[in-house]
Amino acid sequence: MKEGEDYGKIPGSPKPSLFKPGAEKLCNLYGFTINVDILEKVENWKEGFFYYLCKCSLRSKKLGK
């Protein structure tokens, strides 16, 4: 895990936080797979407004598959 790449300080937060690349490395290390479903989305290209409601699930990888 590399500081500034996998984890680091976020302005306004007193403790280091896990970043997306670090979370993906830990999921891979512990045998999880990530599934993301978009439940709602609004894309207004003219006004520059975008809204996404997503559901992220972690599942254990099956051995041998």
Side-chain angles (χ1 to χ4, degrees):
M1 301 288 277
K2 295 180 183 177
E3 187 171 5
E5 181 179 325
D6 299 314
Y7 68 95
K9 299 240 350 179
I10 296 175
S13 177
K15 296 182 179 181
S17 297
L18 184 64
F19 297 156
K20 187 174 184 285
E24 289 172 343
K25 286 180 184 177
L26 289 175
C27 285
N28 192 37
L29 176 70
Y30 289 107
F32 290 107
T33 185
I34 302 166
N35 185 46
V36 179
D37 296 310
I38 299 174
L39 303 178
E40 295 178 31
K41 73 176 180 178
V42 175
E43 296 177 335
N44 186 329
W45 292 90
K46 185 176 180 182
E47 300 294 326
F49 176 80
F50 303 92
Y51 165 81
Y52 300 92
L53 177 63
C54 301
K55 176 183 173 183
C56 180
S57 304
L58 293 177
R59 296 201 172 111
S60 179
K61 292 179 184 177
K62 305 271 187 200
L63 294 177
K65 290 187 179 183

